[in-house]
Structure formats: structure tokens, C-alpha cells
């Protein structure tokens, strides 16, 4: 007998493994196979794999910070996964270095790579149209963006633009639970944004019962995230007020509200 059953095998489940105080290690699952994004803590991932009878096939790394890379070596020696990450040879344990527009297949699901410098210079993000999902590390957070430790405001602006242009339904998997504090700041920048006020209430309720606020979506972030809204009049006006300058361009608005948030 010939089996004519064609099953579209793809990643069917994405879960969060909490780590440290506010990190999420996203685990992507297809059958008994798994991939993890930014495993800062090997033991948290090990426990999840064992409890759920999963085999770790791939590790995806977004940037070099220790809370995203600390578990690579341990996990690699136990599970022998393929390890993907940014180019540059500076992260121990990477098997395949990726650059802009690279396409990789993870658990029968295609991902496209974006270079997204700003938070760090090596930062990359993983986008899959197959499953409408973006793994953006510390570049985009719900309601905010990463601190500019290495890159310039212009680099961050261009990186965020790549995300805001993605299909609206794209789910956004960020690495930290920073949403509520980001929204508290966002309301200072845009106090008259009704979508933002509503989302703040929703996230407050979730966090009161210790539930995670993620994933977000591109459509939501485009409506509430001031770092994606640097052309919006109220964001611009309040940035100009903070900087005590006139006629700020969108990149300067981003630089100003990033500086404002750093001192908030
Ligand atoms: Zn980081
Ligand atoms: Fe981080």
C-alpha cells in the first residue's frame, strides 16, 4: 500500500521557558523535535526537554549577550543540536553563521534572517512566514526596544523598520517580559493613544496574575510602540518637548525617546 496521506509537517507549538528574572527562552516544537531561541540557561531548557520527551535539534542565537548564549555549550554537549547565530566568530559554539536574507530550515519550517543592529552590532532576528512568527531577541520589545549598547539610533531605526513592515498578523516573540514598564513609559510619550491605554490595562491585569504578556503582534506594536511611531505627531511633539528642540526627524525622535527612556 502506498501512503497517500500528505501531512504538512511544520512547527506546531511555541512555548516559553522562563529563565533568570525576566527572560523567556522560546521553544519551537514539531512532533518530538524542538529548537530553542537564546538559551541563556541550559538547565531550564534541559528540564523542559526531559519533561516533555523532546529532542533538541537546533539552537537559534540572536546576539552575544550572556543571558541569550550562556546555555549553548552545555546544551550542545548533551543534545548535539545544530547551532545558528550571528556572523563574526565571537560566540562560542556557533556551527552556522548567518547574515541578512539567509534562509534556513528549522523543524521543516523556513526562516529568513534579518540583520538588526542597534542593541548590539551583531544582532539578528529570525522570521518565518510559514508560521507568521518573528523572534526578535532584544531588538524589539512589546511597547519598547532594546537599549543602544553598541549601535546607533539610525541602525536601530532601520532594524525596527524591517519589523514594522512585516505582515500585521506576525506574532512577535521578544526575549524579555518588559512590557508593563515599557507601556508605563509609552504613556508618557503618547498619553492620548487609546489603543495604548487599553493595552496597558490588559497587560496590567495579566501581570497581576503573573501571566506573560507575549507574544505580541506587528499590528499591535505598530499601534502602541512609540519606537515604531516616530512619525506620529504626538510622539514627535513630546520628543521635541523633552529635547527642547524643534523639527526633529524620525531618527532623532527615536534617539530622543531612547535617551528619555534610559533616564525614566
Ligand atoms: Zn541583550
Ligand atoms: Fe537580553
Amino acid at each position: 500500500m502506498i501512503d497517500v496521506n500528505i501531512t504538512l509537517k511544520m512547527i506546531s507549538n511555541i512555548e516559553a521557558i522562563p529563565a533568570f528574572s525576566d527572560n523567556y527562552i522560546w521553544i519551537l516544537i514539531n512532533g518530538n523535535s524542538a529548537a530553542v531561541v537564546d538559551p541563556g540557561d541550559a538547565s531550564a531548557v534541559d528540564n523542559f526537554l526531559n519533561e516533555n520527551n523532546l529532542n533538541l535539534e537546533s539552537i537559534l542565537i540572536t546576539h552575544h549577550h550572556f543571558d541569550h548564549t550562556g546555555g549553548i555549550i552545555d546544551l550542545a554537549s548533551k543534545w548535539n543540536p545544530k547551532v545558528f547565530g550571528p556572523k563574526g566568530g565571537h560566540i562560542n559554539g556557533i556551527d552556522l553563521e548567518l547574515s541578512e536574507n539567509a534562509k534556513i530550515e528549522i523543524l521543516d519550517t523556513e526562516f529568513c534572517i534579518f540583520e538588526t543592529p542597534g542593541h548590539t552590532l551583531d544582532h539578528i532576528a529570525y522570521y518565518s512566514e510559514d508560521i507568521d512568527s518573528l523572534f526578535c531577541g532584544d531588538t524589539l520589545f512589546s511597547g519598547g526596544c532594546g537599549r543602544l549598547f553598541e549601535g546607533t539610533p539610525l541602525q536601530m531605526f532601520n532594524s525596527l523598520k524591517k519589523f514594522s513592515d512585516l505582515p500585521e498578523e506576525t506574532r512577535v516573540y521578544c526575549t524579555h517580559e518588559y512590557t508593563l514598564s515599557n507601556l508605563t513609559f509609552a504613556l508618557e510619550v503618547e498619553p492620548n493613544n487609546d489603543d495604548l491605554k487599553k493595552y496597558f490595562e490588559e497587560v496590567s491585569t495579566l501581570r497581576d496574575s503573573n501571566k506573560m504578556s507575549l507574544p505580541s503582534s506587528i499590528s499591535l506594536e505598530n499601534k502602541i510602540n512609540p519606537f515604531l511611531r516616530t512619525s506620529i505627531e504626538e510622539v514627535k511633539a513630546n520628543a521635541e518637548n523633552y529635547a527642547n528642540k524643534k523639527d526633529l526627524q524620525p531618527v532623532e525622535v527615536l534617539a530622543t525617546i531612547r535617551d528619555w527612556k534610559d533616564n525614566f
Side-chain angles (χ1 to χ4, degrees), residues 104-118:
I104 57 172
E105 203 161 284
I106 301 293
L107 310 178
D108 296 312
T109 310
E110 189 175 79
F111 284 79
C112 178
I113 308 310
F114 300 133
E115 291 182 355
T116 59

Side-chain angles (χ1 to χ4, degrees), residues 63 65 67-68 119-120 123 138 149 176:
H63 67 294
H65 285 160
D67 62 311
H68 300 248
H119 174 68
T120 60
H123 206 299
D138 287 356
F149 286 121
H176 290 271

Side-chain angles (χ1 to χ4, degrees), residues 106-143:
I106 301 293
L107 310 178
D108 296 312
T109 310
E110 189 175 79
F111 284 79
C112 178
I113 308 310
F114 300 133
E115 291 182 355
T116 59
H119 174 68
T120 60
L121 290 175
D122 68 344
H123 206 299
I124 59 173
Y126 299 80
Y127 168 64
S128 174
E129 197 179 352
D130 288 348
I131 55 168
D132 289 326
S133 297
L134 171 70
F135 298 88
C136 53
D138 287 356
T139 299
L140 176 67
F141 294 122
S142 185

Side-chain angles (χ1 to χ4, degrees), residues 38-242:
D38 287 350
D41 179 0
S43 61
V45 174
D46 251 341
N47 291 339
F48 189 98
L49 292 166
N50 289 324
E51 279 163 20
N52 294 281
N53 260 318
L54 295 167
N55 183 44
L56 183 64
E57 292 191 2
S58 318
I59 294 178
L60 311 181
I61 299 296
T62 63
H63 67 294
H64 68 84
H65 285 160
F66 187 73
D67 62 311
H68 300 248
T69 56
I72 298 175
I73 300 299
D74 262 21
L75 290 171
S77 70
K78 281 192 186 124
W79 300 90
N80 200 26
K82 186 148 190 177
V83 185
F84 299 84
K87 62 186 183 210
H90 57 300
I91 302 172
N92 276 340
I94 303 274
D95 301 314
L96 199 81
E97 299 192 346
L98 302 167
S99 40
E100 180 78 8
N101 281 326
K103 304 262 194 299
I104 57 172
E105 203 161 284
I106 301 293
L107 310 178
D108 296 312
T109 310
E110 189 175 79
F111 284 79
C112 178
I113 308 310
F114 300 133
E115 291 182 355
T116 59
H119 174 68
T120 60
L121 290 175
D122 68 344
H123 206 299
I124 59 173
Y126 299 80
Y127 168 64
S128 174
E129 197 179 352
D130 288 348
I131 55 168
D132 289 326
S133 297
L134 171 70
F135 298 88
C136 53
D138 287 356
T139 299
L140 176 67
F141 294 122
S142 185
C145 72
R147 277 178 192 260
L148 298 178
F149 286 121
E150 297 174 9
T152 65
L154 177 60
Q155 285 176 318
M156 182 57 101
F157 182 86
N158 290 330
S159 297
L160 293 176
K161 178 88 171 71
K162 291 179 186 174
F163 298 155
S164 66
D165 288 344
L166 289 173
E168 298 245 291
E169 64 272 18
T170 306
R171 284 180 290 270
V172 177
Y173 293 88
C174 332
T175 312
H176 290 271
E177 180 62 67
Y178 290 159
T179 315
L180 195 56
S181 68
N182 285 338
L183 297 179
T184 305
F185 172 73
L187 282 166
E188 293 286 310
V189 182
E190 226 183 339
N192 296 304
N193 180 336
D194 288 335
D195 294 316
L196 175 57
K197 287 191 259 188
K198 185 166 155 260
Y199 184 46
F200 178 82
E201 293 306 324
E202 286 170 18
V203 173
S204 298
T205 306
L206 285 173
R207 298 305 296 149
D208 279 348
S209 47
N210 226 3
K211 291 189 178 122
M212 71 173 168
S213 65
L214 301 172
S216 181
S217 70
I218 291 298
S219 81
L220 178 62
E221 293 308 312
N222 279 335
K223 285 184 209 154
I224 60 93
N225 191 322
F227 295 92
L228 302 179
R229 294 168 61 77
T230 51
S231 303
I232 300 290
E233 203 44 54
E234 190 182 18
V235 175
K236 179 172 177 282
N238 284 324
E240 287 172 352
N241 191 37
Y242 178 82

